Amino acid sequence: MNHASEAASATERPPVRRVVIAGGGTAGWMAAAALSRTLGKVLDITLIESEEIGTVGVGEATIPTLVTFHRLLDINEQEVMAATNATMKLGIAFDGWRDVGEDYIHSFGTTGKDHWTAGFQHFWLKGRERGLARDYGEYCLELRAAQENRFAHLPNGGINYAFHLDSGLYARFLRRFSEGYGVRRVEGRIGEVALAANGDIAAVVMADGSRIEGDLFIDCTGFRALLIGQTLGVGFEDWSQWLFNDTAIAVQTESLRPAVPYVRCSARDAGWQWRIPLQHRVGNGIVFSSRHTDEASARATLLGSIEGAQRTEPRVIRFRPGQRVKAWERNCVSLGLASGFLEPLESTSIHLIQRGITRLLQSFPHVINQVDIDEYNAQVQSEIVHIRDFVILHYAVSNRRDTPYWRDCAAMELPPSLRHRIDLFAETGRVFRIPNELFAENSWVQVMLGQGLTPRQRHPAPDLMGDDELNHFLEGIRRHVESTVSRLPTHMDYIRSYCPMKDAAAAAAV
Ligand code: FAD
């Protein structure tokens, strides 16, 4: 359809009053919560979910933007954390990524102090040359707090954090919240999707024959992508040439020790394994490339390295890395797994749901029109490629060559945008952040250094400092970090007083 006829069909569209959310996983209920809390008084919102189909049942590590999402919606943090048996997350510990037996942490927050001409890494590199600098991580509060297993909120947002949470309980919490703001929930299976004469979606038709009509549909049906993919035929851009992993096996175990405030992410022969500690249990899983290993070997690797009794049977989840060519088509916006999936390495999926929701709310149409759709899709596209590049970085820069998987990672041809960033850092120590990009300079530096990339040159600004001055500068930062960390309570002491889980017996039954 050309733009002229799109415009004509847009004029036939009614004002958006009835919003239908198809799917009640994390994406569906986050969308319902945000829409009902902000525009609930002027919209009629229905969410359809099927207990028989269920949700993907994973997705438990988040990043700090979720703190903001809760604030925007006036969700009390202590309440949501207690209701989801949540713990704090300060970063991700990457074991065996740079090389077998070597590790590093990618944490939230910042490291050291930048000068306007040159980032802190240049001062640290000079410190290394002069034998004055300790490990890069020793200049970062969040990283040291993670290593010491400590946490507390600090004044003026002095510590950056996110959560590990139980995804099923989170959806349940958001359901109660959304129903309180008037969302109508329909239980049952969507049998088919009915189109209007102009090609828009007119209604979803339930398996029992009932019809739910809407003006705007939000596809949160997970990997099925029932509306945007199966019905509207929007294609999928496959990124498996860079992201080889396509299968996960997830299993929950009992906690054997106090929860730490970070995800452990251990590289394996043909993928990696996660460990996410909640208050009442641990989420584990392995993510792997089916081109490089088989399910039985991956399962054996996973089950051979979990601790604590199994609470669930291992569950296999297959996925295709990539994104929907258009996140918004006609009167249908896709969120969550329906709109694409990178892989869970840097916990970016829930963040992308949240970005989709806030973007939709900021461009919420009176009557749906093509310019809004085009702008939305352009923003989604420009944001996700940088996140994709950041995830690929972990595979592209590594000294591992011990298995065919890691050798294939080392040999892959990178997207030019990532190639440029790697070359720039390798040559000059410089990184940059594109406006609105999720991962800031600190993340790029921590991961590039952590994966084993050492810049050949650095900025000359630190040469203005003599050894004493540089030492004083570096030590001042390090001592401040250490004294702050030493005053923090242990992570679980803090959790037990801030947001203890409400009902351990109920939690155990989940
Ligand atoms: P789903 O949870 O699959 O929900 C789909 C919904 O649609 C369900 O309610 C289902 O019942 C409904 N539905 C489907 N078809 C029909 C139908 N015909 N009729 C009625 N209802 C229907 N993200 C992170 O941010 N951090 C992580 O640590 C993380 N880890 C992950 C690990 C793995 C292995 C995977 C695969 C994903 C991970 N993710 C993670 C992604 C995260 O799980 C998802 O982004 C998040 O759970 C949202 O899923 P969803 O709501 O889009 O889909």
Side-chain angles (χ1 to χ4, degrees):
M1 184 184 273
N2 63 32
H3 271 83
S5 52
E6 286 268 359
S9 71
T11 58
E12 295 153 19
R13 286 176 175 139
V16 177
R17 294 277 176 270
R18 299 164 303 170
V19 177
V20 177
I21 301 171
T26 305
W29 283 115
M30 281 178 77
L35 259 73
S36 62
R37 178 71 183 84
T38 49
L39 295 176
K41 287 192 177 137
V42 291
L43 296 176
D44 167 12
I45 306 168
T46 304
L47 182 145
I48 303 154
E49 66 178 326
S50 159
E51 272 168 24
E52 176 201 341
I53 295 174
T55 67
V56 71
V58 281
E60 310 201 312
T62 65
I63 57 176
T65 48
L66 196 64
V67 175
T68 314
F69 184 73
H70 292 155
R71 282 193 196 132
L72 289 178
L73 270 56
D74 276 333
I75 288 177
N76 180 295
E77 184 173 285
Q78 285 172 275
E79 269 175 36
V80 67
M81 287 189 72
T84 57
N85 299 341
T87 55
M88 295 294 182
K89 176 182 166 193
L90 292 169
I92 304 175
F94 286 98
D95 295 343
W97 283 79
R98 179 167 57 236
D99 215 334
V100 178
E102 297 183 17
D103 56 22
Y104 73 95
I105 293 182
H106 169 212
S107 69
F108 305 135
T110 54
T111 305
K113 284 193 192 120
D114 296 335
H115 185 257
W116 71 268
T117 57
F120 175 75
Q121 71 273 19
H122 298 279
F123 295 84
W124 178 80
L125 287 166
K126 164 94 184 193
R128 292 292 270 199
E129 287 162 27
R130 308 294 305 148
L132 303 171
R134 311 260 197 123
D135 283 350
Y136 192 68
E138 295 204 24
Y139 305 90
C140 175
L141 172 68
E142 288 82 356
L143 192 150
R144 285 291 300 130
Q147 284 176 326
E148 295 298 317
N149 193 9
R150 291 176 182 275
F151 182 84
H153 288 87
L154 293 177
N156 307 319
I159 194 160
N160 292 277
Y161 63 92
F163 318 107
H164 308 126
L165 44 78
D166 182 306
S167 61
L169 295 177
Y170 190 51
R172 218 181 284 176
F173 177 91
L174 293 177
R175 173 180 164 187
R176 274 198 307 278
F177 178 92
S178 308
E179 287 178 335
Y181 284 99
V183 171
R184 182 171 72 102
R185 173 183 178 274
V186 175
E187 163 62 36
R189 182 186 274 265
I190 299 167
E192 63 181 90
V193 180
L195 294 183
N198 69 356
D200 284 2
I201 295 176
V204 292
V205 183
M206 304 300 292
D208 67 6
S210 57
R211 239 174 110 87
I212 300 171
E213 297 188 345
D215 306 313
L216 175 69
F217 290 80
I218 306 189
D219 188 348
C220 299
T221 58
F223 290 127
R224 287 177 182 77
L226 200 58
L227 281 62
I228 193 100
Q230 289 187 35
T231 306
L232 295 181
V234 175
F236 192 83
E237 191 181 333
D238 188 304
W239 285 339
S240 57
Q241 74 266 40
W242 301 301
L243 296 167
F244 303 160
N245 300 334
D246 57 7
T247 315
I249 307 177
V251 68
Q252 298 174 5
T253 52
E254 301 291 347
S255 307
L256 285 189
R257 59 190 85 244
V260 291
Y262 55 86
V263 175
R264 183 164 294 285
C265 176
S266 307
R268 298 289 182 230
D269 287 352
W272 57 275
Q273 188 170 330
W274 79 79
R275 184 170 200 283
I276 301 176
L278 305 182
Q279 291 188 49
H280 63 309
R281 64 164 171 82
V282 175
N284 310 272
I286 190 163
V287 181
F288 61 94
S289 156
S290 63
R291 277 185 284 154
H292 294 86
T293 191
D294 57 45
E295 202 181 298
S297 314
R299 182 184 297 250
T301 304
L302 172 68
L303 298 182
S305 53
I306 49 175
E307 350 171 294
Q310 268 176 245
R311 288 170 52 112
T312 55
E313 281 305 309
R315 215 159 47 83
V316 179
I317 304 161
R318 288 178 223 292
F319 59 87
R320 194 172 158 208
Q323 67 156 353
R324 202 59 54 197
V325 173
K326 292 181 200 161
W328 184 344
E329 171 78 338
R330 297 183 163 278
N331 62 340
C332 174
V333 179
S334 57
L335 293 173
L337 300 172
S339 70
F341 183 52
L342 283 172
E343 70 150 271
L345 186 64
E346 282 281 356
S347 322
T348 44
S349 195
I350 294 173
H351 165 80
L352 285 168
I353 295 171
Q354 170 184 342
R355 288 290 293 143
I357 293 169
T358 46
R359 184 173 285 127
L360 175 62
L361 278 166
Q362 283 163 351
S363 52
F364 203 85
H366 175 63
V367 173
I368 294 170
N369 58 79
Q370 194 59 37
V371 276
D372 268 338
I373 298 175
D374 293 344
E375 179 58 26
Y376 183 98
N377 288 333
Q379 288 186 17
V380 169
Q381 174 68 21
S382 75
E383 181 171 44
I384 199 165
V385 292
H386 304 301
I387 297 178
R388 177 201 68 190
D389 284 359
F390 187 69
V391 174
I392 299 170
L393 171 68
H394 299 66
Y395 299 98
V397 177
S398 165
N399 297 325
R400 286 192 73 148
R401 301 286 185 274
D402 53 314
T403 64
Y405 175 86
W406 289 102
R407 287 195 287 277
D408 284 353
C409 287
M412 75 176 141
E413 192 172 329
L414 299 180
S417 45
L418 176 59
R419 183 75 269 159
H420 170 65
R421 288 204 201 236
I422 292 173
D423 291 347
L424 183 70
F425 186 76
E427 196 53 48
T428 70
R430 276 189 263 280
V431 291
F432 57 89
R433 184 184 198 178
I434 289 163
N436 291 328
E437 183 181 354
L438 171 61
F439 290 104
E441 290 88 341
N442 183 60
S443 291
W444 285 96
V445 174
Q446 279 191 345
V447 174
M448 293 218 210
L449 288 176
Q451 292 286 141
L453 197 62
T454 306
R456 277 182 284 277
Q457 298 178 48
R458 59 167 173 77
H459 196 280
D463 295 334
L464 298 170
M465 289 174 153
D467 279 3
D468 284 350
E469 195 183 349
L470 183 60
N471 191 39
H472 186 257
F473 171 68
L474 293 171
E475 274 300 282
I477 295 168
R478 196 186 67 78
R479 288 213 188 100
H480 181 68
V481 166
E482 284 312 300
S483 78
T484 308
V485 170
S486 69
R487 290 197 302 271
L488 299 175
T490 70
H491 172 234
M492 277 312 292
D493 278 351
Y494 193 77
I495 293 288
R496 274 189 285 269
S497 68
Y498 183 69
C499 56
M501 56 182 176
K502 289 225 165 76
D503 178 351
V510 174

